[in-house]
Amino acid sequence: GDSVTQMEGPVTLSEEAFLTINCTYTATGYPSLFWYVQYPGEGLQLLLKATKADDKGSNKGFEATYRKETTSFHLEKGSVQVSDSAVYFCALGGYNKLIFGAGTRLAVHP
Amino acid sequence: GAVVSQHPSWVICKSGTSVKIECRSLDFQATTMFWYRQFPKQSLMLMATSNEGSKATYEQGVEKDKFLINHASLTLSTLTVTSAHPEDSSFYICSATREDTQYFGPGTRLTVL
C-alpha cells in the first residue's frame, strides 16, 4: 500500500541555518504531495503542495519539489527562524484520503 | 480562504458521559470531512471519513458505535464520543476537503477523568 517515510527527528538548528527534511513515498498512481506544519497545541496547517511530477511547492520561504524518479518530496528552507520550530508532516493523497509520515520535530535556537 | 473551525477547543468530562465535537468549514462547502486522532508526539490516525448526507466510513479498528459521526450539512460534521473512558483522552482533529486539498481544524483536546 501507499506509504510515506520521513527522516526521524528531532532536528535541531541554529537560527539562519539551512533546513532539509527528507520525505520519500511509495504510491500507486500519481498522488498529490503535501507538507503540513503543526505548532504546539494546534491543528495542522497546509504549508505547501505539489500535484504532479516536477512541480515545486513553495510558501513562507519553504520549498519542496515533486521528484518522481526518486519518489521524494524533501522540504527545504534557506534560513530558518525560531518561529519555524514545529512538527512537519509529509503526506500524500488528496481529497479522498491522506497518508501521513510520522512527522519531524524541528527546534530552532537563537 | 479554506478555514476550518472546531468546537470546543478543549473539553474535560467524567467517565461514562458523552462528548460532542463540532467541525465547521467556514468559507467553503465540504462534501467530505475527515476525523483524525493524534496521540502525544505521534502522527495523525484517520478514524473515519464523513460524507454529507450519508453514513460515515470508519477505518479498521475504530468502533462506530463509540465514535458517532454525523455530517448533516455541507459545512458541519460532528463527532460524538459516547460513554467516554480515560483511554479516549486524545487530541481530535478534523479536516474538510476543498478541491484536492484537505484543510484542518485547530483540534479538540479531550480529557476524560
Side-chain angles (χ1 to χ4, degrees), chain A residues 18-21 35 48 61-64 73-78:
Chain A
F18 184 85
L19 167 71
T20 300
I21 300 178
W35 276 101
L48 53 85
F62 291 90
E63 293 182 341
F73 193 55
H74 304 322
L75 182 67
E76 296 182 338
K77 186 174 185 183

Side-chain angles (χ1 to χ4, degrees), chain B residues 87-98:
Chain B
E87 58 265 30
D88 299 324
S89 298
S90 192
F91 195 51
Y92 293 88
I93 306 176
C94 73
S95 71
T97 56
R98 182 181 183 183

Side-chain angles (χ1 to χ4, degrees), chain A residues 15-58:
Chain A
E15 205 165 25
E16 298 184 1
F18 184 85
L19 167 71
T20 300
I21 300 178
N22 290 338
C23 171
T24 57
Y25 67 91
T26 303
T28 53
Y30 303 98
S32 295
L33 298 175
F34 304 83
W35 276 101
Y36 285 88
V37 57
Q38 185 177 32
Y39 297 100
E42 299 183 11
L44 274 67
Q45 298 177 24
L46 177 65
L47 182 59
L48 53 85
K49 68 177 183 180
T51 58
K52 61 183 187 297
D54 299 326
D55 267 3
K56 178 188 281 188
S58 61

Side-chain angles (χ1 to χ4, degrees), chain A residues 36 38 43 49 95-97 101, chain B residues 34 38 43 97 100-102 106:
Chain A
Y36 285 88
Q38 185 177 32
K49 68 177 183 180
Y95 67 91
N96 57 349
K97 193 168 183 176
Chain B
F34 299 87
Q38 186 180 33
S43 190
T97 56
D100 68 339
T101 300
Q102 289 188 32

Side-chain angles (χ1 to χ4, degrees), chain B residues 3 7 14-15 24 28 35-37 48 53 56 58 66 94-95 104-105:
Chain B
V3 180
H7 178 80
K14 292 183 179 180
S15 187
R24 292 181 186 273
F28 66 102
W35 287 96
Y36 295 83
R37 184 172 179 177
Y58 291 82
K66 180 166 188 62
C94 73
S95 71
F104 287 80

Side-chain angles (χ1 to χ4, degrees), chain B residues 60-77:
Chain B
Q60 193 172 11
V62 177
E63 298 177 61
K64 59 182 178 182
D65 294 331
K66 180 166 188 62
F67 298 101
L68 299 179
I69 291 172
N70 183 282
H71 194 155
S73 77
L74 288 171
T75 59
L76 173 64
S77 176

